Amino acid sequence: MNEIWLVLALGALTYFTRILGHLLITQFGTLHPRVLAALNAVPAAVLITIVIPPVITGGLAERLAMMVALLAALRLSMIPTMIIGLGTLVLLRAVL
């Protein structure tokens, strides 16, 4: 039962931080171009922090799945790329 309260508390905290960030940014009116550039770089930075650790510490299956997902990402949108990458990882882990 404690897990439910934890999930609810973390969800409320996440919602609060998003609303607070939105309210703070709307108070400034226009943002400096450097701030906008930094905010635009956040998704790429988050993606790198998620992807790099398995590439460094993972085995052959993880590295091959990353390569397959990278090739898929050149032609497909995000959801099919994720499905292909995860499917490849599952298959390679079962085989290797």
Side-chain angles (χ1 to χ4, degrees), residues 20-70:
L20 184 63
H22 174 71
L23 291 175
L24 285 174
I25 288 177
T26 57
Q27 292 299 316
F28 289 111
T30 59
L31 296 176
H32 192 275
R34 287 188 182 187
V35 174
L36 289 175
L39 290 174
N40 286 333
V42 169
V46 170
L47 181 64
I48 288 172
T49 61
I50 292 171
V51 169
I52 293 301
V55 171
I56 293 172
T57 62
L60 181 61
E62 287 80 8
R63 290 186 179 131
L64 290 174
M66 291 282 187
M67 286 189 248
V68 170
L70 177 66

